[in-house]
Amino acid sequence: MNRDSVDMIIEQWRKEVPDLSTTAMAIFGRLQRINKHVGRSLGNNFSRFNLNSGEFDVLATLRRSGEPYMLKPTDLYNQLMVTSGAMTNRIDTLEKKSLVMRVNDVSDRRTVYVKLTEKGLKIINEAIYEHVNEEEKLLECLSKEDADMLNIILKKIVCKFEKE
């Protein structure tokens, strides 16, 4: 197997502090490096649609919610795990781009929904396929079995955090 930059770091620690357990350090070091590379690659893809990752997440969340592609801002920020302030900024930006609109509830005008516009629906319908294609390219070094196993392992870690 090829060596990566984390191997050098782990070797240095083993030399300097031989009794230090480095397995978790190696795993999280690799996850951080992967995250940087993935963020850069996906960010380049989002920019083709004049979006950033946060804006894409809002559009994708509205799209996967099903027709009428409309959610309350609180549902959006809870699903995306961001603050209400961050969500307001994302909605404002997407509204200026005419990709979403705020809609008042007909039965309770105090309730506001965020809804995909036709333009927003068109963009996310195209962007989601490009996004998945880019993700698949990033994982092309893995066999199907490796990808399935990695997914299972990562799910175990996510479940640990979501139970806390």
Side-chain angles (χ1 to χ4, degrees), residues 10-25:
I10 297 306
E11 287 170 10
Q12 289 173 327
W13 278 116
R14 284 193 183 133
K15 179 181 172 199
E16 294 300 315
V17 187
D19 63 334
L20 182 67
S21 173
T22 57
T23 301
M25 180 188 294

Side-chain angles (χ1 to χ4, degrees), residues 26 30 39 57 80 86 109 117 119 121 140 147 149 153 156:
R30 287 186 172 100
D57 286 345
L80 297 175
R109 295 200 32 89
T117 62
K119 180 180 176 184
L121 181 60
E140 67 188 3
M149 182 57 69
I153 291 166
K156 287 181 183 181

Side-chain angles (χ1 to χ4, degrees), residues 103-141:
V103 178
N104 288 323
D105 188 315
V106 292
S107 61
D108 180 0
R109 295 200 32 89
R110 294 172 296 173
T111 303
V112 175
Y113 290 92
V114 178
K115 181 177 180 172
L116 279 177
T117 62
E118 284 187 39
K119 180 180 176 184
L121 181 60
K122 182 177 186 282
I123 286 177
I124 194 59
N125 280 343
E126 184 179 344
I128 192 63
Y129 284 99
E130 293 298 321
H131 175 71
V132 170
N133 287 338
E134 189 64 27
E135 287 177 329
E136 287 174 347
K137 280 190 237 172
L138 293 169
L139 294 178
E140 67 188 3
C141 63

Side-chain angles (χ1 to χ4, degrees), residues 66-132:
E67 286 192 59
Y69 313 119
M70 184 168 70
L71 293 169
K72 294 177 186 174
T74 52
D75 294 332
L76 279 168
Y77 74 73
N78 286 330
Q79 287 187 44
L80 297 175
M81 297 182 346
V82 297
T83 65
S84 61
M87 184 53 59
T88 298
N89 289 338
R90 289 180 187 180
I91 294 166
D92 289 346
T93 302
L94 289 167
E95 198 170 35
K96 287 176 187 164
K97 294 179 179 183
S98 301
L99 301 177
V100 301
M101 62 182 161
R102 289 177 169 94
V103 178
N104 288 323
D105 188 315
V106 292
S107 61
D108 180 0
R109 295 200 32 89
R110 294 172 296 173
T111 303
V112 175
Y113 290 92
V114 178
K115 181 177 180 172
L116 279 177
T117 62
E118 284 187 39
K119 180 180 176 184
L121 181 60
K122 182 177 186 282
I123 286 177
I124 194 59
N125 280 343
E126 184 179 344
I128 192 63
Y129 284 99
E130 293 298 321
H131 175 71
V132 170

Side-chain angles (χ1 to χ4, degrees), residues 146-157:
D146 286 345
D148 290 343
M149 182 57 69
L150 179 59
N151 195 28
I152 290 167
I153 291 166
L154 292 173
K155 182 178 179 178
K156 287 181 183 181
I157 298 170

Side-chain angles (χ1 to χ4, degrees), residues 21-77:
S21 173
T22 57
T23 301
M25 180 188 294
I27 291 168
F28 288 107
R30 287 186 172 100
L31 286 172
Q32 287 175 336
R33 281 168 169 70
I34 290 167
N35 189 45
K36 285 182 183 177
H37 289 289
V38 169
R40 194 174 314 129
S41 181
L42 295 180
N44 289 338
N45 193 47
F46 298 142
S47 68
R48 293 178 46 221
F49 298 93
N50 192 28
L51 299 171
N52 63 36
S53 64
E55 294 164 352
F56 173 86
D57 286 345
V58 172
L59 297 179
T61 301
L62 290 168
R63 176 62 178 92
R64 73 173 181 260
S65 72
E67 286 192 59
Y69 313 119
M70 184 168 70
L71 293 169
K72 294 177 186 174
T74 52
D75 294 332
L76 279 168
Y77 74 73

